[in-house]
Amino acid sequence: MKRKSLFALSAVVVAAAAALVPVLWSGGDNLHNGSAVAATPADQAALIKKGEYLARAGDCIACHTVRGGKQFAGGLPMATPFGTMFTPNITPDDEFGIGKWTADDFYRAMHTGRSKDGSLLYPGFPFTSYTKVTRADSDAIYAFLRSVTPVNVPSRPHELKFPFNNRNLLIGWRTLFFREGEFKPDPTKSVEWNRGAYLVEGLGHCGMCHTSINAMGGPVNSAAFAGGLIPLQNWFAPSLTSNREAGLGDWDPKDIADLLKTGVSNRGAVFGPMAEVVHNSLQYLSDEDIQAMATYLKTIPQKSEAPEHLQLETSEQFGGELLKQGQKIYADNCAKCHEANGLGRPPHFPPLANNQSIQMPSAVNPIRMVLNGGYPPSTDGNPSPYGMPPFAQALSNQEVAAVVTYIRMSWGNHGTAVSPQQVSDLRSAPLD
């Protein structure tokens, strides 16, 4: 079924679900009173500092700040299959920001996905994850945002296609995909595990990328954390449930913590959207919180097989030709940093041998790295990261396919050959 047909079908399904609203959904709030004002100036300063930390954990700045713009003034375009959404101004400006919002209003947005006036928010705002945030943490974030410099800039209206510009359809979407509720600790698990689960599932909203979405823009909850292609960005968020992708079952906890905190580890490095997450958010978290996240991530149930993802196939004969061609290209262009044996020089030059992200079924990420190059994020733990040069201008589609095929099938790696057509398709992928 073509994508256009799927979108048309999704509108029908969501509209049908919306018709069930009087029975299935209640618009009433179930808010309990909180406070974003502390008893003393010292306590208020501590509350604001806590909120700043939590806003970092939630990566608020990444979406609500345009590059080169005023912090939290919004305006960042977010391309989706349904049109473009623009993030709102969340500075304490009375006219265009959240200056007239109360702590209850802010918690309502975080917890229920509804704005101050009760209108439904689009799920580009990750309220499906933020609903797990506690009232106390919501109040702290609110106190911090009230402390930033107000910016008198209006929020830009969304540019969504019909019928997705009709917010009433969100009622049906929420009926299908949204379950409101704060995080409930598992009494059978440790305090550290529960803290990690709270950060990963709630503020960190990791599932927004690492869980694939369906034609209605809803998460495929039956395959939570199983990975998928990030729509329109053309980066692949690997599965956290498969040891053939980014499953962490056989990782040392220190390597997980290093990757999250600094962007590099002895097992690999982060690039693309994940590099932005580390740069804007994770590097600022405490060692204890990073360790808690690592503890939780290691306990996500692992599968020996990788999820099925669409991948263009090549014939066995052509794959063999690519492998032979790729060996020479690798020796000429890659071995200086990644070594002839593929072991690299970690953490600065990551290993390619036995690298799960290289050999997983989807070859999108290694193709994009060869085409576009890139850097891990600059962090306190890795302030001067070593980068990889782009080869889009130097290598043809077949040459890129050849070298990626070589690294996916050498040194014991179990990847498959890459099609030059797939390389061609990714040449036009957005860089930002």
Side-chain angles (χ1 to χ4, degrees):
M1 185 180 292
K2 293 183 178 179
R3 173 170 286 187
K4 185 180 294 185
S5 299
L6 285 172
F7 289 163
L9 175 62
S10 72
V12 173
V13 173
V14 173
L20 299 176
V21 168
V23 177
L24 298 177
W25 186 78
S26 168
D29 287 328
N30 184 25
L31 303 179
H32 44 88
N33 291 329
S35 175
V37 179
T40 68
D43 289 341
Q44 184 67 14
L47 182 66
I48 290 172
K49 185 175 181 180
K50 175 185 176 182
E52 181 179 16
Y53 178 85
L54 294 170
R56 281 291 189 184
D59 205 8
C60 305
I61 196 170
C63 289
H64 290 279
T65 304
V66 176
R67 183 176 297 174
K70 299 291 182 66
Q71 284 195 352
F72 302 111
L76 184 76
M78 300 176 65
T80 78
F82 313 103
T84 301
M85 294 186 289
F86 296 89
T87 56
N89 181 341
I90 57 170
T91 71
D93 180 70
D94 283 347
E95 185 176 8
F96 297 121
I98 61 171
K100 294 183 178 179
W101 286 42
T102 66
D104 281 348
D105 294 331
F106 188 78
Y107 180 69
R108 180 183 296 109
M110 294 280 283
H111 190 66
T112 73
R114 276 177 279 161
S115 189
K116 175 180 173 62
D117 62 4
S119 60
L120 300 179
L121 298 173
Y122 283 98
F125 172 63
F127 61 84
T128 54
S129 298
Y130 287 168
T131 189
K132 295 179 182 291
V133 174
T134 65
R135 179 62 197 253
D137 282 355
S138 175
D139 285 349
I141 297 170
Y142 171 78
F144 164 65
L145 291 175
R146 295 280 299 176
S147 75
V148 305
T149 303
V151 180
N152 190 244
V153 174
S155 297
R156 184 171 173 179
H158 299 318
E159 297 174 359
L160 297 174
K161 306 169 188 175
F162 178 82
F164 307 108
N165 57 352
N166 181 354
R167 287 182 186 262
N168 289 333
L169 291 180
L170 291 173
I171 300 174
W173 187 95
R174 292 161 63 97
T175 301
L176 294 172
F177 302 115
F178 178 46
R179 297 296 177 266
E180 179 183 314
E182 289 187 7
F183 176 79
K184 302 296 184 186
D186 184 341
T188 69
K189 302 292 187 180
S190 67
V191 172
E192 182 180 62
W193 184 95
N194 277 295
R195 176 64 175 175
Y198 175 69
L199 291 169
V200 169
E201 296 180 6
L203 276 173
H205 57 283
C206 304
M208 286 286 287
C209 288
H210 288 280
T211 299
S212 61
I213 65 171
N214 57 27
M216 290 179 280
V220 183
N221 290 321
S222 61
F225 296 116
L229 192 68
I230 303 174
L232 301 185
Q233 290 191 34
N234 288 309
W235 282 98
F236 191 88
S239 169
L240 302 180
T241 65
S242 170
N243 283 324
R244 286 194 59 195
E245 291 199 3
L248 303 172
D250 64 347
W251 278 51
D252 185 281
K254 183 180 184 304
D255 288 332
I256 302 174
D258 286 346
L259 191 73
L260 296 177
K261 183 80 171 180
T262 70
V264 295
S265 77
N266 288 328
R267 293 291 295 265
V270 298
F271 292 92
M274 189 62 192
E276 295 182 22
V277 173
V278 173
H279 181 265
N280 291 322
S281 175
L282 295 178
Q283 70 162 314
Y284 296 99
L285 300 194
S286 67
D287 291 342
E288 292 77 13
D289 276 350
I290 290 292
Q291 185 59 49
M293 294 176 71
T295 296
Y296 172 71
L297 289 169
K298 267 192 71 70
T299 66
I300 293 177
Q302 299 295 298
K303 302 174 183 177
S304 58
E305 72 279 2
E308 292 186 7
H309 303 297
L310 182 63
Q311 175 76 13
L312 295 176
E313 296 183 356
T314 61
S315 68
E316 184 175 349
Q317 178 180 350
F318 186 50
E321 294 172 2
L322 289 172
L323 183 64
K324 184 176 180 180
Q325 181 183 11
Q327 183 176 16
K328 183 178 187 308
I329 297 171
Y330 180 88
D332 292 342
N333 297 279
C334 313
K336 182 177 180 180
C337 295
H338 295 285
E339 303 291 348
N341 58 10
L343 295 179
R345 283 177 276 163
H348 299 303
F349 301 113
L352 304 179
N354 197 33
N355 187 319
Q356 293 151 289
S357 67
I358 295 296
Q359 54 187 315
M360 63 186 183
S362 172
V364 166
N365 293 352
I367 291 173
R368 291 207 61 180
M369 284 304 303
V370 172
L371 284 173
N372 307 129
Y375 283 83
S378 175
T379 61
D380 284 345
N382 186 35
S384 301
Y386 288 72
M388 176 169 167
F391 288 92
Q393 302 301 318
L395 301 178
S396 68
N397 291 337
Q398 179 162 326
E399 288 170 330
V400 172
V403 72
V404 174
T405 294
Y406 177 73
I407 64 175
R408 281 167 57 81
M409 299 179 68
S410 299
W411 317 298
N413 287 348
H414 300 290
T416 55
V418 171
S419 163
Q421 180 60 51
Q422 189 174 12
V423 177
S424 176
D425 292 343
L426 289 170
R427 277 190 183 271
S428 59
L431 298 180
D432 193 2

